[in-house]
Amino acid sequence: MVISPLWASAAIVLPLLEYTWVLRSPWLLAFCAVGVAQCVVLVIALQLARHNRFQRSITLVCIGNWVSALLVTFIWPPLLPAMALVAMVPVVFAEPYVRWQRGLAFTVITGVCVLAMILAARFTPVTDAVDQAPRWIETAFLVIAVPFNALHVMVIVWNNAGALRTSEGQLAERAAELAASRTRLITAADEERRRLERDLHDGAQQHLVALSVIIQLARNADRDRAQPLLTEASDLVETAVAEIRRLAHGIYPPAPGQRRSE
């Protein structure tokens, strides 16, 4: 909305002063009417932006600028260089905030608008306001408006480029963080796998080996000696089952019913 004061001063105040002190031409009043309409469009777009309707706000500003620049060029053809830059400012500003399809459409429309402005400046008859007004007014306007709008476009371009570099840096940091997190997860998973292997080897596996030996002894023992061996085997089975449950509890979360019972 930086161009709103520019429109208010260049498209309303200056033509009114020229109409009052230099030349009473209806074309100057038409110039003022275009400036007033564009300022109204900018105010409405600002209200839309405050309500987070950025797509509508940007679209309204672009359309208003295209129409205003074309009308001003038709009224005052020598102002073509300044108006061409004015027509491009909203599109350059809007590029980071719209989808690429709409941005492409804005770019094409801007090119068509500039072409229409060139044709209007080339083939429109010179009005009395242009023919009779002092040349220093036109020169002063171009000297001020063209560098200002060119600088405005360049500032927007550099700002967009800086925002893009910042976004790329943030994405690179996020990618590095995700890679580091993935590495930590893989390392933790490997350590947990080795721990489970060690616990199985030192715990349940040892109990099962001992159980196998005791059962074999019980098979070969007489009736009196087999009973204590079977009792010991039963204890080893319970110990092995408890060990396996402990290991499984660390791998799988408990079921909802088990969690409530605990």
Side-chain angles (χ1 to χ4, degrees):
M1 297 306 173
V2 177
I3 58 176
S4 182
L6 176 65
W7 273 106
S9 60
I12 300 176
V13 177
L14 289 181
L16 284 177
L17 291 177
E18 186 175 354
Y19 178 83
T20 302
W21 300 102
V22 180
L23 177 65
R24 292 187 176 273
S25 171
W27 290 107
L28 293 175
L29 296 180
F31 202 118
C32 293
V34 174
V36 171
Q38 178 62 10
C39 288
V40 171
V41 169
L42 292 175
V43 171
I44 296 174
L46 180 60
Q47 295 300 321
L48 291 174
R50 288 177 177 175
H51 290 85
N52 296 326
R53 299 179 179 178
F54 299 109
Q55 296 286 341
R56 294 184 180 180
S57 176
I58 292 173
T59 302
L60 182 60
V61 171
C62 290
I63 294 175
N65 251 44
W66 293 326
V67 175
S68 298
L70 185 58
L71 291 176
V72 169
T73 305
F74 178 80
I75 297 171
W76 206 296
L79 300 183
L80 172 64
M83 291 301 102
L85 290 173
V86 168
M88 290 188 292
V89 168
V91 179
V92 176
F93 173 80
E95 190 275 333
Y97 306 100
V98 296
R99 296 180 179 179
W100 71 268
Q101 296 94 335
R102 181 169 296 192
L104 179 60
F106 283 176
T107 302
V108 172
I109 295 173
T110 301
V112 173
C113 180
V114 172
L115 177 61
M117 291 162 57
I118 294 173
L119 296 176
R122 177 66 179 84
F123 297 106
T124 299
V126 178
T127 62
D128 58 347
V130 177
D131 192 33
Q132 300 177 24
R135 291 302 177 188
W136 66 267
I137 296 179
E138 174 188 318
T139 303
F141 182 89
L142 290 175
V143 168
I144 296 173
V146 172
F148 177 85
N149 285 288
L151 180 62
H152 195 186
V153 171
M154 295 305 299
V155 168
I156 294 174
V157 169
W158 280 104
N159 182 69
N160 292 345
L164 179 60
R165 287 192 295 269
T166 302
S167 299
E168 290 176 347
Q170 293 176 348
L171 288 175
E173 292 177 0
R174 289 289 182 86
E177 292 175 358
L178 289 175
S181 177
R182 182 173 179 271
T183 302
R184 289 194 298 269
L185 289 175
I186 293 175
T187 302
D190 290 340
E191 292 178 355
E192 184 66 14
R193 178 178 55 80
R194 287 192 293 269
R195 184 188 69 81
L196 291 174
E197 291 176 353
R198 184 173 59 253
D199 290 345
L200 283 172
H201 180 271
D202 297 340
Q205 182 177 350
Q206 297 297 327
H207 294 308
L208 294 176
V209 170
L211 176 63
S212 176
V213 173
I214 292 174
I215 291 175
Q216 187 66 31
L217 291 175
R219 286 178 178 176
N220 299 326
D222 54 25
R223 189 178 187 86
D224 295 334
R225 294 185 57 188
Q227 188 63 35
L229 292 173
L230 293 175
T231 301
E232 184 178 356
S234 177
D235 294 337
L236 284 175
V237 169
E238 293 180 357
T239 303
V241 170
E243 182 69 19
I244 292 174
R245 284 179 177 175
R246 183 185 66 82
L247 294 175
H249 183 76
I251 300 174
Y252 300 103
Q258 295 177 346
R259 189 181 293 111
R260 285 194 297 270
S261 64
E262 294 175 357

